[in-house]
Short mmCIF file of all heavy atoms in Angstrom, two decimals:
data_model
loop_
_atom_site.label_atom_id
_atom_site.label_comp_id
_atom_site.label_asym_id
_atom_site.label_seq_id
_atom_site.Cartn_x
_atom_site.Cartn_y
_atom_site.Cartn_z
N PHE A 1 3.74 14.70 -27.20
CA PHE A 1 5.06 14.27 -27.62
C PHE A 1 6.14 14.59 -26.61
O PHE A 1 7.30 14.31 -26.82
CB PHE A 1 5.41 14.92 -28.97
CG PHE A 1 4.46 14.57 -30.06
CD1 PHE A 1 3.40 15.41 -30.36
CD2 PHE A 1 4.60 13.41 -30.77
CE1 PHE A 1 2.51 15.10 -31.36
CE2 PHE A 1 3.72 13.09 -31.79
CZ PHE A 1 2.67 13.93 -32.08
N ARG A 2 5.76 15.15 -25.45
CA ARG A 2 6.75 15.68 -24.52
C ARG A 2 7.57 14.59 -23.84
O ARG A 2 8.78 14.71 -23.72
CB ARG A 2 6.03 16.53 -23.47
CG ARG A 2 6.95 17.20 -22.49
CD ARG A 2 6.20 18.19 -21.63
NE ARG A 2 5.43 19.11 -22.45
CZ ARG A 2 5.15 20.34 -22.09
NH1 ARG A 2 5.56 20.79 -20.94
NH2 ARG A 2 4.45 21.13 -22.85
N ALA A 3 6.96 13.48 -23.44
CA ALA A 3 7.65 12.51 -22.60
C ALA A 3 8.87 11.91 -23.30
O ALA A 3 9.90 11.68 -22.68
CB ALA A 3 6.69 11.40 -22.20
N SER A 4 8.79 11.65 -24.61
CA SER A 4 9.90 11.00 -25.29
C SER A 4 11.14 11.88 -25.33
O SER A 4 12.25 11.39 -25.49
CB SER A 4 9.49 10.64 -26.72
OG SER A 4 9.17 11.81 -27.44
N TYR A 5 10.97 13.20 -25.21
CA TYR A 5 12.12 14.09 -25.20
C TYR A 5 12.66 14.30 -23.78
O TYR A 5 13.86 14.38 -23.57
CB TYR A 5 11.75 15.44 -25.80
CG TYR A 5 11.45 15.40 -27.27
CD1 TYR A 5 10.14 15.27 -27.72
CD2 TYR A 5 12.47 15.47 -28.20
CE1 TYR A 5 9.86 15.24 -29.07
CE2 TYR A 5 12.19 15.44 -29.56
CZ TYR A 5 10.89 15.32 -29.99
OH TYR A 5 10.62 15.29 -31.32
N GLU A 6 11.77 14.41 -22.82
CA GLU A 6 12.20 14.78 -21.48
C GLU A 6 13.01 13.70 -20.79
O GLU A 6 13.77 13.97 -19.90
CB GLU A 6 10.98 15.15 -20.63
CG GLU A 6 10.39 16.50 -21.03
CD GLU A 6 9.38 16.99 -20.04
OE1 GLU A 6 8.87 16.14 -19.28
OE2 GLU A 6 9.09 18.18 -20.03
N ARG A 7 12.86 12.44 -21.21
CA ARG A 7 13.63 11.38 -20.58
C ARG A 7 15.13 11.62 -20.73
O ARG A 7 15.91 11.32 -19.86
CB ARG A 7 13.24 10.03 -21.17
CG ARG A 7 11.95 9.47 -20.62
CD ARG A 7 11.85 8.00 -20.95
NE ARG A 7 11.76 7.80 -22.39
CZ ARG A 7 10.62 7.74 -23.06
NH1 ARG A 7 9.47 7.87 -22.44
NH2 ARG A 7 10.61 7.55 -24.36
N ASP A 8 15.53 12.15 -21.89
CA ASP A 8 16.95 12.37 -22.14
C ASP A 8 17.47 13.60 -21.42
O ASP A 8 18.68 13.76 -21.25
CB ASP A 8 17.19 12.53 -23.64
CG ASP A 8 16.85 11.27 -24.39
OD1 ASP A 8 16.94 10.18 -23.79
OD2 ASP A 8 16.48 11.38 -25.58
N GLU A 9 16.58 14.52 -21.02
CA GLU A 9 17.02 15.77 -20.44
C GLU A 9 17.00 15.78 -18.92
O GLU A 9 17.48 16.70 -18.29
CB GLU A 9 16.12 16.91 -20.96
CG GLU A 9 16.23 17.11 -22.46
CD GLU A 9 15.30 18.19 -22.95
OE1 GLU A 9 14.57 18.74 -22.11
OE2 GLU A 9 15.30 18.48 -24.14
N GLN A 10 16.44 14.74 -18.33
CA GLN A 10 16.36 14.71 -16.88
C GLN A 10 17.74 14.50 -16.28
O GLN A 10 18.54 13.71 -16.76
CB GLN A 10 15.42 13.59 -16.44
CG GLN A 10 13.95 13.90 -16.72
CD GLN A 10 13.07 12.73 -16.35
OE1 GLN A 10 13.57 11.64 -16.14
NE2 GLN A 10 11.79 12.97 -16.25
N ALA A 11 18.01 15.20 -15.21
CA ALA A 11 19.29 15.02 -14.50
C ALA A 11 19.25 13.72 -13.72
O ALA A 11 18.21 13.29 -13.25
CB ALA A 11 19.51 16.20 -13.54
N PRO A 12 20.41 13.05 -13.58
CA PRO A 12 20.42 11.80 -12.81
C PRO A 12 20.04 12.05 -11.36
O PRO A 12 20.39 13.06 -10.77
CB PRO A 12 21.87 11.33 -12.94
CG PRO A 12 22.65 12.56 -13.28
CD PRO A 12 21.73 13.43 -14.08
N GLN A 13 19.28 11.13 -10.82
CA GLN A 13 18.84 11.24 -9.44
C GLN A 13 19.95 10.85 -8.48
O GLN A 13 20.75 9.96 -8.77
CB GLN A 13 17.62 10.33 -9.20
CG GLN A 13 16.43 10.71 -10.08
CD GLN A 13 15.92 12.09 -9.77
OE1 GLN A 13 15.90 12.49 -8.60
NE2 GLN A 13 15.55 12.84 -10.79
N PRO A 14 20.07 11.51 -7.33
CA PRO A 14 21.12 11.12 -6.37
C PRO A 14 20.87 9.72 -5.85
O PRO A 14 19.74 9.27 -5.75
CB PRO A 14 20.96 12.18 -5.26
CG PRO A 14 19.57 12.69 -5.39
CD PRO A 14 19.23 12.62 -6.84
N ASP A 15 22.00 9.06 -5.53
CA ASP A 15 21.89 7.71 -5.00
C ASP A 15 21.16 7.72 -3.67
O ASP A 15 21.34 8.61 -2.84
CB ASP A 15 23.29 7.09 -4.81
CG ASP A 15 24.00 6.93 -6.13
OD1 ASP A 15 23.30 6.77 -7.15
OD2 ASP A 15 25.24 6.96 -6.15
N ALA A 16 20.36 6.70 -3.45
CA ALA A 16 19.65 6.58 -2.18
C ALA A 16 20.64 6.24 -1.08
O ALA A 16 21.62 5.52 -1.31
CB ALA A 16 18.59 5.48 -2.30
N PRO A 17 20.45 6.76 0.14
CA PRO A 17 21.38 6.45 1.22
C PRO A 17 21.33 4.97 1.56
O PRO A 17 20.30 4.33 1.46
CB PRO A 17 20.85 7.31 2.38
CG PRO A 17 19.43 7.59 2.04
CD PRO A 17 19.36 7.65 0.56
N ALA A 18 22.50 4.46 1.97
CA ALA A 18 22.57 3.04 2.33
C ALA A 18 21.75 2.79 3.59
O ALA A 18 21.70 3.62 4.48
CB ALA A 18 24.03 2.65 2.56
N PRO A 19 21.07 1.64 3.66
CA PRO A 19 20.26 1.36 4.84
C PRO A 19 21.13 1.21 6.08
O PRO A 19 22.28 0.77 6.02
CB PRO A 19 19.57 0.04 4.48
CG PRO A 19 20.44 -0.58 3.43
CD PRO A 19 21.03 0.56 2.68
N ALA A 20 20.62 1.65 7.22
CA ALA A 20 21.37 1.56 8.48
C ALA A 20 21.62 0.10 8.83
O ALA A 20 20.77 -0.76 8.62
CB ALA A 20 20.59 2.25 9.59
N ARG A 21 22.81 -0.16 9.38
CA ARG A 21 23.18 -1.53 9.75
C ARG A 21 22.45 -1.92 11.02
O ARG A 21 22.38 -1.15 11.97
CB ARG A 21 24.69 -1.61 9.94
CG ARG A 21 25.16 -3.00 10.29
CD ARG A 21 26.67 -3.03 10.42
NE ARG A 21 27.14 -4.34 10.81
CZ ARG A 21 28.41 -4.66 11.02
NH1 ARG A 21 29.33 -3.71 10.86
NH2 ARG A 21 28.76 -5.88 11.38
N ARG A 22 21.91 -3.10 11.03
CA ARG A 22 21.20 -3.60 12.22
C ARG A 22 21.98 -4.75 12.83
O ARG A 22 22.48 -5.62 12.13
CB ARG A 22 19.80 -4.08 11.84
CG ARG A 22 18.91 -2.97 11.29
CD ARG A 22 17.55 -3.50 10.92
NE ARG A 22 16.90 -4.08 12.08
CZ ARG A 22 15.71 -4.71 12.01
NH1 ARG A 22 15.11 -4.83 10.86
NH2 ARG A 22 15.19 -5.21 13.11
N GLU A 23 22.07 -4.69 14.15
CA GLU A 23 22.74 -5.79 14.86
C GLU A 23 21.84 -7.01 14.85
O GLU A 23 20.62 -6.92 14.99
CB GLU A 23 23.05 -5.37 16.31
CG GLU A 23 24.03 -4.22 16.42
CD GLU A 23 25.39 -4.61 15.90
OE1 GLU A 23 25.73 -5.81 15.97
OE2 GLU A 23 26.10 -3.72 15.40
N PRO A 24 22.43 -8.19 14.69
CA PRO A 24 21.60 -9.41 14.72
C PRO A 24 20.96 -9.60 16.08
O PRO A 24 21.57 -9.36 17.12
CB PRO A 24 22.60 -10.52 14.39
CG PRO A 24 23.94 -9.96 14.75
CD PRO A 24 23.86 -8.49 14.50
N GLU A 25 19.70 -10.02 16.07
CA GLU A 25 18.97 -10.25 17.31
C GLU A 25 19.32 -11.64 17.83
O GLU A 25 19.58 -12.56 17.05
CB GLU A 25 17.48 -10.15 17.06
CG GLU A 25 17.06 -8.75 16.62
CD GLU A 25 15.57 -8.69 16.39
OE1 GLU A 25 14.93 -9.74 16.58
OE2 GLU A 25 15.07 -7.62 16.02
N PRO A 26 19.35 -11.78 19.16
CA PRO A 26 19.65 -13.12 19.71
C PRO A 26 18.57 -14.11 19.32
O PRO A 26 17.40 -13.77 19.22
CB PRO A 26 19.67 -12.88 21.23
CG PRO A 26 18.86 -11.62 21.42
CD PRO A 26 19.10 -10.79 20.22
N ALA A 27 19.00 -15.35 19.05
CA ALA A 27 18.05 -16.38 18.64
C ALA A 27 17.12 -16.70 19.80
O ALA A 27 17.56 -16.82 20.95
CB ALA A 27 18.81 -17.64 18.21
#
């Protein structure tokens, strides 16, 4: 019966870092 309770008690996870910006490659 543990899982149904622990979902409410878990702390929110930190946001994932934004992906690094990539310069467009020449065509």
